[in-house]
Amino acid sequence: MSVRLGAIADIHGNDVALRAVLADAGRFGVERWWALGDLVLFGPRPAEVLQILRELPGIGMLRGNTDRYVLTGEQPAPHETVADAAGSIDLVRRYAGMAAGIGWTRGVLDQAGLLGVLDDWPAQLRLRLPGGASVLGVHASPRADDGQGIEPGIADEELGPLLAGADAEVVIGGHTHAATDRVVGGVRALNPGSTGLPRRSGIASWLLLGDDGDGLTVTIRDVPFDAEAVVADLRRRRHPQTEFVSSVLAGLLGAGDAVEPVAEEGALGGGEGGEVGEGGAQGYGGGGRARDGSARVGEDGGAD
């Protein structure tokens, strides 16, 4: 018996990137999928993303912090409330931008009859692999759907406590948009990176976890997608956060950065920091590629 699990996270309503990832995954025989939160907010096609995900084999979806915002209207610090934002022009802009994006996404999902789907998502997913290892899926960490998460740069002394109490040999989380494969305190800590708002312009990523009963294989794959098509769709649909999302897609801002306008010529129109690197971010006909460093892990969670 074997299992091939595909893990994706932080799709953020970007159906173009999601379709590219699934096209790349088609040749790997993925038997079940996990979508690890932050699935709908910011991008132009939240309803289409949910419709695609719900058709995947063995799909499990959990709620990330921005999915929670769509349901509740909450916002992150330091502008959780209007009172928190008052007195700072920057925070008022952030609050207004987030409120507009949340309202737009809620309206799209409600009109499609899909808003209630988010109510059913759990905070965690669990799976027992044929080799005996247990896998925990979370958004940020086993402790919370926001705050610190799994990423390459966090010190072992900080990541270890985040994983404490996971009761699993493998923890897969998203949130940081940073693809990661580490072992801390005997726990394999994995992050597929972001599908929809990746840190590298036009390069989505996803994770393939396999178990044939003789140890785990982990592969993180990079997949180019047409970022300019996403920006054009944002403009066509008059998304209220078009300029912010365009800047994130161009690599000029991170998803957690301030909502700041960019030049009307287009955030992906070249220039320092906005150029698309090698790999063809404007089309994905060439397929994806695996990152170096894929490794096997034994049943005890330690790298072979």
Side-chain angles (χ1 to χ4, degrees):
M1 181 179 178
S2 65
V3 168
R4 297 180 74 78
L5 171 70
I8 46 182
D10 301 283
I11 302 168
H12 287 290
N14 183 343
D15 70 315
V16 172
L18 176 58
R19 293 177 199 274
V21 161
L22 296 179
D24 181 63
R27 54 201 171 102
F28 291 98
V30 177
E31 298 160 328
R32 65 169 66 198
W33 285 91
W34 278 2
L36 301 174
D38 279 11
L39 305 182
V40 295
L41 186 62
F42 295 134
R45 298 285 173 177
E48 287 82 352
V49 163
L50 290 189
Q51 289 163 349
I52 293 169
L53 290 175
R54 296 175 81 190
E55 295 297 320
L56 294 178
I59 183 66
M61 293 183 276
L62 59 78
R63 186 187 306 168
N65 58 306
T66 64
D67 305 313
R68 171 166 53 85
Y69 302 158
V70 171
L71 279 176
T72 65
E74 296 173 68
Q75 293 208 23
H79 51 88
E80 293 179 87
T81 67
V82 174
D84 293 331
S88 167
I89 293 176
D90 178 55
L91 292 184
V92 168
R93 286 175 177 167
R94 292 195 200 190
Y95 185 90
M98 280 289 290
I102 289 168
W104 188 92
T105 303
R106 282 181 62 94
V108 169
L109 292 178
D110 189 42
Q111 186 174 39
L114 293 170
L115 184 59
V117 172
L118 279 63
D119 283 314
D120 299 328
W121 291 348
Q124 299 182 350
L125 298 169
R126 288 189 179 270
L127 175 66
R128 178 73 63 177
L129 297 175
S134 60
V135 184
L136 172 66
V138 298
H139 180 60
S141 75
R143 300 170 56 180
D145 68 6
D146 58 5
Q148 286 185 305
I150 297 169
E151 61 178 320
I154 186 174
D156 287 359
E157 294 76 16
E158 295 178 88
L159 182 55
L162 289 180
L163 303 176
D167 192 27
E169 287 79 34
V170 181
V171 177
I172 312 176
H175 187 60
T176 65
H177 296 211
T180 308
D181 185 354
R182 298 174 58 179
V183 177
V184 178
V187 177
R188 189 80 174 265
L190 304 172
N191 190 322
S194 173
T195 293
L197 290 180
R199 292 192 177 190
R200 292 185 297 160
S201 177
I203 305 294
S205 63
W206 68 283
L207 183 147
L208 176 64
L209 186 150
D211 183 9
D212 57 7
D214 190 30
L216 307 184
T217 58
V218 175
T219 305
I220 297 173
R221 292 190 57 80
D222 295 328
V223 184
F225 69 93
D226 189 345
E228 287 197 354
V230 182
V231 173
D233 200 23
L234 285 162
R235 296 189 188 283
R236 183 166 51 249
R237 292 174 64 81
R238 301 177 186 241
H239 193 290
Q241 290 184 288
T242 292
E243 305 308 331
F244 166 64
V245 179
S246 298
S247 293
V248 176
L249 287 168
L252 303 176
L253 292 175
D257 286 332
V259 179
E260 293 288 350
V262 296
E264 195 61 38
E265 297 85 65
L268 296 175
E272 184 175 351
E275 294 181 354
V276 177
E278 291 185 9
Q282 302 313 310
Y284 51 88
R289 60 185 178 85
R291 298 192 183 194
D292 293 336
S294 297
R296 296 184 68 87
V297 60
E299 291 182 18
D300 62 355
D304 286 345

